[in-house]
Amino acid sequence: GKLLNIKDAYSHPLFYRGVDDDTGFITRNILCFPIKDDTGVIGIAQLCNKAGGKYFTRHDEEAALSFSVYCGISISNSLLFKKVQDAQYRSKLASDLMIYHMQVPQTDLDNALKEIKLNCDTPPCFDSLLFPTYVVDEESKTV
């Protein structure tokens, strides 16, 4: 989790020159620094071959560490956004599954309606809101 400023890459023991050999690229110097959030290191950034200079300076190190703060914020926000997207997807999937399983096939509905025995000749008109009135006999309390 520390910044590493390598002024001569080929003389540094941690430098792996195999990539340079395979690609033909020549790495002169490296500035490597951690990207952190509240929990610790979440990434590493690396700058190679300082333009306009022999190696990275203290000023470059400070700029890199300042930049790493914004990188950390961006990565944290991206991870949080991904979690929100995943939660929304799971919620929609659960809702869709619930709606799917709540649907009754028309044949099942028709069969259920056939089994209902009504005591009247015509089906009731529930949408008319007209109901028969009854008189209650006060003495017998019967309808």
Side-chain angles (χ1 to χ4, degrees):
K2 294 190 252 180
L3 180 135
L4 181 61
N5 188 349
I6 301 173
K7 296 181 189 223
D8 182 11
Y10 287 112
S11 66
H12 197 277
L14 295 176
F15 180 71
Y16 174 69
R17 65 176 24 188
V19 175
D20 281 11
D21 293 341
D22 290 345
T23 63
F25 186 79
I26 298 172
T27 304
R28 294 188 320 272
N29 46 56
I30 299 171
L31 180 61
C32 190
F33 51 95
I35 299 171
K36 299 178 181 180
D37 69 356
D38 298 341
T39 62
V41 177
I42 58 172
I44 300 293
Q46 174 180 296
L47 304 175
C48 294
N49 296 346
K50 171 156 172 108
K54 289 186 174 187
Y55 51 83
F56 293 99
T57 64
R58 181 73 187 138
H59 177 7
D60 295 326
E61 292 176 2
E62 291 172 6
L65 290 175
S66 296
F67 175 70
S68 74
V69 171
Y70 295 105
C71 291
I73 292 169
S74 297
I75 291 170
S76 294
N77 285 344
S78 295
L79 294 172
L80 181 61
F81 182 72
K82 176 71 171 129
K83 286 180 182 178
V84 168
Q85 279 184 319
D86 290 346
Q88 287 175 335
Y89 174 77
R90 284 191 305 274
S91 176
K92 183 179 180 338
L93 180 62
S95 177
D96 289 348
L97 283 170
M98 206 169 16
I99 289 170
Y100 173 79
H101 288 290
M102 288 173 46
Q103 293 176 352
V104 177
Q106 187 64 40
T107 55
D108 291 350
L109 182 61
D110 292 342
N111 290 338
L113 289 174
K114 286 178 187 175
E115 292 179 16
I116 296 174
K117 304 286 186 207
L118 298 176
N119 293 331
C120 60
D121 296 335
T122 60
C125 297
F126 292 112
D127 59 344
S128 69
L129 296 177
L130 297 174
F131 300 98
T133 57
Y134 294 98
V135 177
V136 176
D137 182 10
E138 287 295 324
E139 291 181 21
S140 65
K141 301 286 185 195
T142 61
V143 178

